[in-house]
Amino acid sequence: MQPSRLATPVATIEQLETSGSRLDGVPADLEDSMRFAGARLTQAAGILLRLPQEVVAQAIIVFTRFFAGPEGGSFAEYDAKQISASSLYMIAKISAAPKSPRSIINVYAYLDSFPHTFLDIEEVEKKKDAEEYFVSEGMFQEHKARLFAVEPVILKVLGFQLQVSLPYTLCITYMQALDVFSQPRASELARRAVARLNDMLLSPQLLCLTHQPPCLATAAIYLAAKEVGVQLPDVEWWEVFDTDREELGFLVVGMLSVTSFAIEEKEKWGKRSVPMTVEELDLELSSRRASTGED
Amino acid sequence: MAGATRWGGTEDLEAQRKKEKEEKKRLKQLKQQQAEAEAAAARERKEEEESEAASRPAKKRKLSTSPSADANGSSMTEKRKLLRFQAGGWGPCRNISNFETLNQIEEGSYGWVSRAKESATGDVVALKKMKMEYAQDGFPVTALREIQLLQASKHQHIINLREVVMGDRLDDVYLVMDFIEHDLKSLCDTMSEPFLASEVKTLILQLTSALSFLHSHWILHRDLKTSNILLNNRGILKIADFGMARLTSDPPPTNLTQLVVTLWYRAPELLLGATTYDSAIDMWSLGCIFGELLSKEPLLQGKNEVDQLTKTFSLCGLPSDTSWPAFRRLPNARALKLPRDPGNAAHGIIRTKFPFLTTSGCSLLSSLLSLNPDARPSAEDVLNHAYFKEGPKPKPTALFPTFPSKAGGEKRRRASPHAPVRGEVAKGLGDKEIDFSGIFAKRDEEERGAGFTLRMG
């Protein structure tokens, strides 16, 4: 039977219960932080590479799938940064907007040159000395070898399941079906809804691994309409898009919580960097052990 | 010495005790982690259960409505039926050691195919080892595309990809597919008589339904030929080898490679160097296959690109500005020298070449072999063509003859040329002018009328 093109593969209950990282002794909160930072890194690289958001979203989902489940990859075994780069490179390669290894490596080197994970806008806009992120030919060859070496690892862990269906186009179709574009604040609504879908990619609840695109699109529109103040039909319109009230409610709460999660993360890490490699993770774990030992 | 031994002994003992302790600690930790993980996942699981419950509306309806229905006897709370989409999940690749190789089948354009048995289930499958030529861009994009497109193409007449397995090294990648006994190429080679008209109809209909599916999903196969079309002993045809396939769009992408489709099945626009093309290139290949099934011989067996074009034009006629307005703009068209007034040569000799074919069959074949890609019918058009409605009716698959399977037994020989290799430089037609004015010189002397045959199947 041909699976619907609207449907996306979802994680099993076993894959949500635990993960390779937690089996390797990475605390759950640190795992959430690393997954969040990794997804943001992919998103930032995608923007700098001027990749379509569809490609970026797909790469983030591949990254998230890789680190999910007991048979998935572990942050204690693979550099989160490397999985992010290789996922983005591989997904761009099979898309209509491929990027060269050189571009990918340059962009990741540039992002790596920032002093910590959660940057203020001034820090991002400050012009940097090109020396800080220059990739020499020797380093390039080394990075490229690693970029390529990780590709088959990702494919092996995912069993070559790279198929991702995204909610973006559905979201627009649904808004058209709801006839919102005749309303004055429609473009703001559309912008908010798409922003909510982008949030969903960063959710610590792994919304993008547990819900189908029609439900995600519906919840994003519902939430955006509340935020922008656009009147939607006074009936249970979400059922038209195959979402029931319970699921809608769950997703709305889930999407809303991404914001507070992001603020908490920023406060928690302050001027420190979230570990993005196995080495940095080991340092973080030993410093945590040291501080609990002192108490 | 004794002290040293005792010393050594206690160290061992201590080390062992320490190890045991650590092991216990680790287990305890693991348990704790799992408990933590479970707690953390509880919320997600609850949600999962909800969505699962929702995916079984019958049960849910019973649960939620029976009390209220009992209470006030109304069916107001009857749940509306919501669609539930399923697309499976993912898990790590299994290892190739789950399969035992039985025999080699053949080497295709993108890998080696062998027949194998899955040890656990005893299922006989076809294993295709992907060619991993790590070039400038890491994991071969062609292999990724082939896998993605096969995963997306679940259809009765398209080979079923069961899973992808890996060997001990990460660049040993195998596709596990259903094993199909025959391919049309070796069948045509071994049969003493060509397929009957009714059989050809069934085969072409099955092939076209798969093509219609692919094209409606924006997939171009780009390497249709009889050796890539498989037939099982129950008369069911399957398209295989997606090594050249890719997604397309409307309008079609520019700068596509022209190095696609095995030479004998390659459409004239590709031979003339087009880099923007659409599903019509598959329809041309379909025409070639149609002709091949009727006559048991590949239709256009060119020795090289120039010869292929010569043979194409002598069968289908010379292109003209009226029949194919765009052809002069194609890169290699400049090298062609065509007679100003092609006269008879403008019409091909398809009618003469297939004297047994009915008028509608002939019109279908000629339309598929239109030089102008825009004039070729779509797969959907072919399915509705009058040829399939007139007698003899397409033969039911259950009545298909069975043949001894070459793939199940010995190694197969391969007579048709290989698909072009990716990255090769397109040969083009050379700088030399190619004179096509002479190829129809003696046409008027040829026998023209349609012969007749008693064998109409």
Side-chain angles (χ1 to χ4, degrees):
Chain A
M1 201 20 219
Q2 172 73 10
S4 164
R5 296 290 258 185
L6 298 183
T8 200
V10 291
T12 61
I13 297 172
E14 291 75 36
Q15 280 171 326
L16 295 172
E17 269 172 354
T18 185
S19 67
S21 309
R22 265 179 279 166
L23 291 178
D24 279 347
V26 181
D29 72 299
L30 189 55
E31 187 192 22
D32 283 347
S33 293
M34 289 178 78
R35 198 166 35 216
F36 181 59
R40 285 181 66 231
L41 179 66
T42 313
Q43 179 69 67
I47 292 171
L48 291 178
L49 287 161
R50 300 198 169 82
L51 281 167
Q53 181 60 12
E54 286 173 0
V55 174
V56 180
Q58 215 176 323
I60 293 178
I61 292 173
V62 164
F63 172 88
T64 316
R65 277 183 194 171
F66 178 80
F67 286 110
E71 293 176 306
S74 156
F75 286 123
E77 196 180 345
Y78 300 103
D79 291 349
K81 195 165 31 185
Q82 193 60 59
I83 301 295
S84 160
S86 291
S87 307
L88 192 61
Y89 173 63
M90 189 159 60
I91 294 298
K93 181 158 69 179
I94 51 174
S95 79
K99 292 289 167 201
S100 68
R102 183 88 223 187
S103 310
I104 301 267
I105 288 164
N106 281 352
V107 161
Y108 274 82
Y110 175 77
L111 290 169
D112 210 26
S113 68
F114 287 99
H116 47 92
T117 308
F118 294 92
L119 301 162
D120 290 319
I121 193 77
E122 307 85 65
E123 288 172 294
V124 178
E125 283 172 351
K126 203 177 81 191
K127 197 159 165 48
K128 299 177 64 144
D129 186 357
E131 285 290 316
E132 286 178 53
Y133 52 88
F134 175 71
V135 183
S136 69
E137 185 57 27
M139 268 169 56
F140 169 65
Q141 292 302 340
E142 202 179 299
H143 281 301
K144 192 171 82 171
R146 241 178 295 153
L147 189 71
F148 292 173
V150 170
E151 276 184 287
V153 175
I154 299 175
L155 290 168
K156 185 177 187 182
V157 167
L158 297 189
F160 284 82
Q161 181 57 279
L162 296 182
Q163 193 247 321
V164 175
S165 299
L166 293 166
Y168 295 100
T169 41
L170 269 184
C171 183
I172 295 169
T173 310
Y174 287 180
M175 284 188 285
Q176 284 171 332
L178 288 165
D179 201 20
V180 297
F181 289 108
S182 53
Q183 299 199 32
R185 310 192 66 191
S187 62
E188 200 183 330
L189 171 78
R191 213 173 299 129
R192 276 314 302 162
V194 170
R196 283 299 181 188
L197 289 179
N198 289 336
D199 281 4
M200 170 277 294
L201 298 169
L202 309 175
S203 152
Q205 288 168 296
L206 312 188
L207 295 181
C208 57
L209 299 196
T210 54
H211 288 76
Q212 291 297 343
C215 304
L216 294 168
T218 308
I221 296 170
Y222 181 91
L223 191 53
K226 285 266 180 286
E227 289 176 306
V228 178
V230 166
Q231 190 66 41
L232 290 180
D234 200 16
V235 289
E236 294 180 324
W237 57 268
W238 43 88
E239 291 200 350
V240 176
F241 306 130
D242 301 302
T243 307
D244 62 27
R245 177 186 283 281
E246 274 171 277
E247 194 166 11
L248 176 70
F250 178 86
L251 283 171
V252 165
V253 174
M255 283 181 185
L256 275 172
S257 70
V258 177
T259 315
S260 48
F261 173 73
I263 293 168
E264 275 167 36
E265 283 293 301
K266 188 171 182 303
E267 276 169 10
K268 184 167 135 193
W269 291 92
K271 298 278 173 207
R272 293 189 307 136
S273 290
V274 178
M276 281 282 101
T277 61
V278 174
E279 212 176 310
E280 287 164 12
L281 173 68
D282 286 343
L283 279 176
E284 172 70 21
L285 285 176
S286 52
S287 87
R288 279 192 184 199
R289 269 196 296 271
S291 66
T292 47
E294 278 162 24
D295 288 342
Chain B
M1 276 324 243
T5 347
R6 206 187 321 142
W7 177 245
T10 42
E11 193 180 50
D12 275 358
L13 215 71
E14 242 171 34
Q16 199 178 344
R17 208 177 295 152
K18 205 170 154 191
K19 215 167 139 194
E20 272 171 13
K21 230 173 167 176
E22 260 174 10
E23 182 64 22
K24 253 185 211 163
K25 208 168 124 190
R26 204 182 63 81
L27 278 173
K28 207 171 143 190
Q29 219 171 8
L30 201 76
K31 238 181 192 169
Q32 197 184 343
Q33 277 157 13
Q34 272 168 354
E36 267 173 24
E38 256 164 43
R43 196 170 30 169
E44 279 154 352
R45 211 177 334 151
K46 190 176 160 238
E47 179 280 315
E48 190 73 25
E49 274 163 15
E50 275 168 17
S51 68
E52 240 188 311
S55 67
R56 282 179 269 122
K59 193 176 165 193
K60 174 134 190 170
R61 199 181 303 149
K62 210 186 264 170
L63 278 175
S64 60
T65 60
S66 47
S68 67
D70 283 347
N72 48 32
S74 80
S75 59
M76 199 196 75
T77 44
E78 179 85 12
K79 270 267 190 181
R80 275 161 289 228
K81 195 170 186 297
L82 305 184
L83 283 179
R84 288 296 139 189
F85 304 94
Q86 239 110 53
W90 66 88
C93 286
R94 294 200 298 159
N95 194 279
I96 186 69
S97 59
N98 289 295
F99 297 88
E100 297 164 38
T101 309
L102 299 173
N103 60 286
Q104 298 295 317
I105 304 176
E106 65 171 326
E107 186 185 336
S109 47
Y110 277 92
W112 298 267
V113 184
S114 56
R115 195 168 69 108
K117 194 170 83 176
E118 188 177 354
S119 316
T121 59
D123 284 359
V124 174
V125 296
L127 279 185
K128 176 170 172 178
K129 185 172 194 295
M130 307 293 279
K131 283 185 182 167
M132 287 292 144
E133 275 138 15
Y134 276 79
Q136 282 305 297
D137 49 359
F139 198 94
V141 65
T142 44
L144 281 177
R145 270 193 201 144
E146 173 167 10
I147 294 168
Q148 278 228 303
L149 293 176
L150 275 173
Q151 285 169 339
S153 307
K154 298 287 173 211
H155 186 270
Q156 198 199 354
H157 297 303
I158 296 173
I159 188 87
N160 176 34
L161 174 68
R162 297 174 164 216
E163 62 177 307
V164 184
V165 296
M166 273 184 166
D168 294 325
R169 284 157 27 129
L170 282 172
D171 52 0
D172 281 346
V173 177
Y174 303 82
L175 306 189
V176 184
M177 294 174 285
D178 291 350
F179 174 73
I180 310 289
E181 290 87 349
H182 314 281
D183 68 275
L184 288 183
K185 171 92 194 131
S186 29
L187 274 187
C188 283
D189 287 349
T190 46
M191 282 164 32
S192 50
E193 292 287 311
F195 284 108
L196 299 173
S198 59
E199 292 166 349
V200 171
K201 278 185 193 178
T202 308
L203 293 174
I204 293 294
L205 274 178
Q206 296 186 26
L207 180 56
T208 312
S209 76
L211 267 187
S212 161
F213 173 89
L214 290 178
H215 292 168
S216 69
H217 286 76
W218 303 99
I219 298 169
L220 301 184
H221 185 281
R222 304 203 298 183
D223 195 18
L224 287 175
K225 54 177 169 180
T226 42
S227 54
N228 281 343
I229 296 167
L230 311 181
L231 186 68
N232 71 12
N233 273 334
R234 292 162 299 288
I236 307 289
L237 170 153
K238 312 250 180 196
I239 299 186
D241 200 340
F242 278 53
M244 289 262 165
R246 67 159 287 149
L247 284 171
T248 186
S249 55
D250 182 19
T254 52
N255 68 43
L256 296 173
T257 171
Q258 41 171 307
L259 262 173
V260 289
V261 193
T262 302
L263 188 60
W264 296 349
Y265 304 85
R266 200 178 296 168
E269 65 269 28
L270 291 171
L271 290 167
L272 289 174
T275 53
T276 293
Y277 47 81
D278 58 13
S279 54
I281 63 157
D282 283 344
M283 300 317 289
W284 174 274
S285 308
L286 177 67
C288 296
I289 292 164
F290 186 19
E292 185 169 341
L293 293 181
L294 289 169
S295 60
K296 219 166 75 66
E297 271 296 300
L299 197 53
L300 299 162
Q301 306 184 44
K303 288 191 267 304
N304 52 42
E305 274 81 354
V306 176
D307 189 37
Q308 185 68 27
L309 206 55
T310 312
K311 292 204 157 70
T312 304
F313 287 165
S314 39
L315 179 69
C316 309
L318 286 168
S320 70
D321 293 323
T322 43
S323 68
W324 186 6
F327 93 95
R328 279 189 202 281
R329 287 196 293 277
L330 293 174
N332 297 342
R334 253 163 279 143
L336 299 181
K337 189 172 164 240
L338 298 168
R340 192 172 296 275
D341 175 24
N344 274 335
H347 312 285
I349 50 163
I350 292 174
R351 179 73 264 188
T352 345
K353 191 149 182 183
F354 294 94
F356 325 131
L357 199 57
T358 62
T359 312
S360 65
C362 195
S363 88
L364 175 61
L365 184 57
S366 325
S367 66
L368 285 169
L369 297 179
S370 306
L371 293 174
N372 182 1
D374 296 335
R376 285 174 222 148
S378 70
E380 206 58 37
D381 296 338
V382 174
L383 289 177
N384 296 321
H385 197 274
Y387 173 62
F388 300 105
K389 310 223 163 44
E390 67 181 19
K393 290 269 181 275
K395 192 175 202 168
T397 52
L399 298 181
F400 257 67
T402 55
F403 312 89
S405 168
K406 282 215 148 185
E410 73 230 43
K411 197 172 153 74
R412 185 180 303 181
R413 78 198 138 99
R414 237 183 123 90
S416 76
H418 286 293
V421 177
R422 203 179 136 79
E424 222 172 51
V425 178
K427 277 199 208 83
L429 299 174
D431 299 329
K432 226 169 43 196
E433 281 205 339
I434 308 151
D435 192 345
F436 282 102
S437 42
I439 64 173
F440 294 103
K442 298 209 166 161
R443 280 287 292 285
D444 295 336
E445 294 163 27
E446 276 173 22
E447 197 188 351
R448 183 152 300 220
F452 69 93
T453 176
L454 294 174
R455 191 168 167 276
M456 288 299 285

